[in-house]
Amino acid sequence: MKLTLRKTLSIITKIVIGFMLVSVFIILLMRWVNPFGSMLMVERKIAHWNISQQRTWKDWDQISDNIKIAVIAAEDQNFADHWGFDFKAINRALIYNQKNRKIRGASTITQQVAKNIFLWPSRSWIRKGIESWFTVWIELIWSKQRTLEIYLNSVEWGEGIFGIEAASRHYFNVSANQLTPYQASLLAATLPNPRKWSPANPDDKIQKKAEWIRGQMNNLGGKSYLKQLN
């Protein structure tokens, strides 16, 4: 009995160590190699097999600075300063969630990249723990610029629409490098629920949020903020 338990623990230990080594190697590789897709895309394809997926990779210099600063303003204003986790935002979310039925998240852009690229979309402590592992290594190995580049090329922007190029073409019929501040703010405003809200046909709530985002873009310093990400 003891021998069987020891063998089981040994196998589990080897699996865990193997996962850790492989995951770090993949993150290191993605410092230079663009991901072909994401686990979120796989999950969506399994759930909706008949829906075609749109995604075209665009390098950093081929993406408008307007959408870069817009998603930072909307999703993670401390992106340039934190190490993957915004503990002040987490604390605010915990206080809010204790008092309200609607759950508010506090995921940084780095955490969202870890979840979208490597993991499954669900709420569980196990997934959150694995997400934290990936988040730490992404922060250690990638630059902030690389993290944002992968985020913008992988984030979901509607049913079957992934990445900023596909979203720009679908909603505004322009390339990702042609987005105006107004268009960028509308795209960023829909990120909490991109399959429900449309940047091309925004309701009053999305319009107001987009206006707020444009104000935050200016408060952050506009495009000059991006110099911190190099």
Side-chain angles (χ1 to χ4, degrees):
M1 183 68 178
K2 289 183 179 180
L3 186 60
T4 302
L5 180 60
R6 189 176 299 171
K7 283 185 177 180
T8 303
L9 290 174
S10 177
I11 291 171
I12 293 173
T13 301
K14 288 178 181 178
I15 291 173
V16 171
I17 293 174
F19 166 79
M20 293 168 70
L21 292 174
V22 170
S23 61
V24 173
F25 173 75
I26 293 173
I27 293 170
L28 179 62
L29 190 64
M30 284 187 183
R31 181 172 178 175
W32 302 281
V33 179
N34 299 330
F36 297 110
S38 68
M39 288 302 296
L40 179 60
M41 292 177 69
V42 172
E43 191 274 339
R44 295 289 192 241
K45 191 63 177 177
I46 293 172
H48 305 280
W49 191 258
N50 60 325
I51 296 177
S52 61
Q53 294 184 343
Q54 305 170 46
R55 180 179 181 266
T56 302
W57 181 275
K58 288 293 180 179
D59 292 331
W60 178 262
D61 293 335
Q62 298 173 305
I63 301 172
S64 168
D65 287 345
N66 292 319
I67 190 62
K68 297 170 187 173
I69 189 65
V71 296
I72 291 173
E75 298 287 294
D76 186 3
Q77 294 194 11
N78 293 319
F79 177 64
D81 301 316
H82 65 62
W83 280 84
F85 307 94
D86 189 337
F87 293 106
K88 290 182 179 179
I90 292 171
N91 186 56
R92 288 195 299 269
L94 289 173
I95 295 172
Y96 176 88
N97 294 340
Q98 289 175 353
K99 300 178 181 178
N100 297 272
R101 290 183 178 180
K102 187 177 180 180
I103 301 299
R104 175 184 291 177
S107 292
T108 62
I109 285 175
T110 314
Q111 288 175 283
Q112 292 182 54
V113 169
K115 179 184 68 176
N116 290 343
I117 296 294
F118 301 108
L119 302 172
W120 59 95
S122 68
R123 292 182 181 273
S124 71
W125 288 110
I126 294 175
R127 199 226 68 199
K128 205 67 180 176
I130 301 174
E131 176 190 299
S132 298
W133 166 262
F134 279 102
T135 298
V136 168
W137 283 102
I138 287 172
E139 284 288 334
L140 288 172
I141 294 175
W142 298 353
S143 66
K144 291 287 186 176
Q145 179 175 305
R146 178 59 170 167
T147 302
L148 186 59
E149 180 185 36
I150 291 180
Y151 174 81
L152 286 169
N153 278 286
S154 305
V155 68
E156 184 178 36
W157 250 302
E159 202 73 65
I161 302 168
F162 294 88
I164 188 58
E165 178 67 13
S168 301
R169 294 287 184 186
H170 181 81
Y171 293 114
F172 301 116
N173 199 30
V174 298
S175 185
N177 66 349
Q178 298 173 310
L179 288 168
T180 65
Y182 178 75
Q183 293 168 334
S185 66
L186 287 171
L187 284 164
T190 64
L191 282 176
N193 200 337
R195 293 194 291 170
K196 178 182 178 182
W197 299 322
S198 170
N201 298 293
D203 57 20
D204 289 342
K205 179 180 179 180
I206 296 302
Q207 287 278 18
K208 289 179 181 179
K209 185 173 182 182
E211 184 178 356
W212 176 84
I213 289 171
R214 291 193 295 275
Q216 295 302 303
M217 291 165 68
N218 291 328
N219 291 340
L220 288 172
K223 297 176 183 180
S224 62
Y225 179 95
L226 300 174
K227 295 177 182 178
Q228 303 175 62
L229 309 184
N230 295 331

